Amino acid sequence: MDSKRRLDYALFQLTPTRTRCDLVICSGDCKEKLTSGLLEPFIAHLNIAKYQISKGGYSITLSASVSASWFTKFTLERSLVVIADIFQEAGLPLWLRPYEVLVTSSYTALIETIPDAASIHSIKSRFPNITSLRDFFVAKYEENSSSYKLAQRNFVESMVGYSLVCYLLQVKDRRNCNPLLDVEGHIIHIDFGFMLSNSPGGVNFETAPFKLTPELLEASILFNPGFRVQLKL
């Protein structure tokens, strides 16, 4: 199905336990299974879906008005961009860095490079004296300077944003090679090859809803006392 073709509706087909689902998109005579996974993250913020499931049955139908040109396969596939737009429209102080992927064949694609950023693993390997993110921030931005305070805010707002994304999309395999840290202090997650029902090796051994290690939590609390308040919101 063409990614820009307007959809008639999206259908969540539930399993007998009503805990998992397949997401099927429909346009005219064309139907395509887009993905599958746990039901709860899909409908956590969709009141109409919760209403339908409360009535029983094993399917949930989502549709939009005829004039809603945005309701396409492309929109559903670019979930990260959509979530970023939702954060912005709601006026939430959260930050995401969507990046482009250009599909070139069934097996290959060109992925946009994120400049001025390095993985947490790379940072620790490059600087042997750096043992934690807090050490890195103190060394790079000079504690209590204006640049340090700006990096505090950037770190917190981006980490909370990506924590929500990882929870909603069930993003897995969050090793230190995947989250990047840019020059402004933002956390940027990359490599979304394992999400929803997909897991490394086909075995879903990850039980945490998103990555929030003691190191990240320590850095966040030390950087900004308001972190706990923002995370609660």
Side-chain angles (χ1 to χ4, degrees):
M1 186 185 302
D2 186 270
S3 63
K4 295 184 179 180
R5 181 172 176 174
R6 189 193 179 281
L7 302 178
D8 294 327
Y9 59 93
L11 179 68
F12 293 92
Q13 295 180 331
L14 279 58
T15 60
T17 60
R18 303 175 80 202
T19 57
R20 303 183 65 86
C21 67
D22 292 334
L23 174 56
V24 180
I25 54 176
C26 306
S27 179
D29 295 331
C30 296
K31 291 186 178 181
E32 180 180 334
K33 177 182 173 181
L34 196 60
T35 188
S36 62
L38 294 173
L39 177 64
E40 178 60 27
F42 281 116
I43 68 169
H45 303 289
L46 295 173
N47 290 333
I48 184 64
K50 291 180 179 179
Y51 173 77
Q52 289 187 42
I53 199 171
S54 69
K55 297 295 183 180
Y58 295 91
S59 66
I60 300 170
T61 302
L62 299 181
S63 60
S65 64
V66 176
S67 60
S69 59
W70 57 266
F71 193 53
T72 64
K73 175 184 176 182
F74 181 74
T75 299
L76 295 180
E77 286 180 323
R78 301 191 67 198
S79 301
L80 186 60
V81 177
V82 174
I83 292 173
D85 289 343
I86 291 173
F87 288 166
Q88 184 175 6
E89 291 176 9
L92 297 175
L94 305 179
W95 188 93
L96 298 176
R97 171 54 165 90
Y99 56 89
E100 299 292 334
V101 178
L102 177 62
V103 177
T104 56
S105 76
S106 300
Y107 303 97
T108 60
L110 297 175
I111 302 177
E112 178 187 357
T113 298
I114 299 178
D116 302 320
S119 69
I120 296 175
H121 172 77
S122 176
I123 291 172
K124 290 184 175 182
S125 300
R126 191 182 308 169
F127 303 102
N129 294 331
I130 299 296
T131 59
S132 69
L133 284 176
R134 183 183 185 280
D135 291 343
F136 175 75
F137 271 74
V138 170
K140 181 174 179 60
Y141 300 107
E142 298 182 7
E143 194 167 12
N144 297 323
S145 68
S146 59
S147 60
Y148 179 83
K149 292 177 181 178
L150 179 60
Q152 294 176 357
R153 176 174 292 274
N154 292 340
F155 181 81
V156 171
E157 293 180 354
S158 58
M159 193 174 70
V160 174
Y162 277 106
S163 293
L164 290 171
V165 168
C166 289
Y167 169 70
L168 293 172
L169 300 181
Q170 303 171 57
V171 181
K172 305 174 183 68
D173 194 28
R174 297 298 87 194
R175 298 167 294 156
N176 280 347
C177 295
N178 289 331
L180 307 182
L181 192 68
D182 72 6
V183 294
E184 297 177 340
H186 297 109
I187 285 283
I188 304 172
H189 280 251
I190 62 171
D191 189 357
F192 298 97
F194 297 104
M195 57 191 293
L196 299 176
S197 62
N198 295 328
S199 300
V203 180
N204 187 12
F205 57 86
E206 300 180 38
T207 58
F210 53 86
K211 181 170 183 172
L212 188 60
T213 63
E215 179 183 19
L216 294 174
L217 187 59
E218 176 194 34
S220 302
I221 293 175
L222 290 172
F223 286 167
N224 189 336
F227 170 72
R228 287 178 175 173
V229 176
Q230 291 191 41
L231 183 59
K232 183 178 180 180
L233 292 176

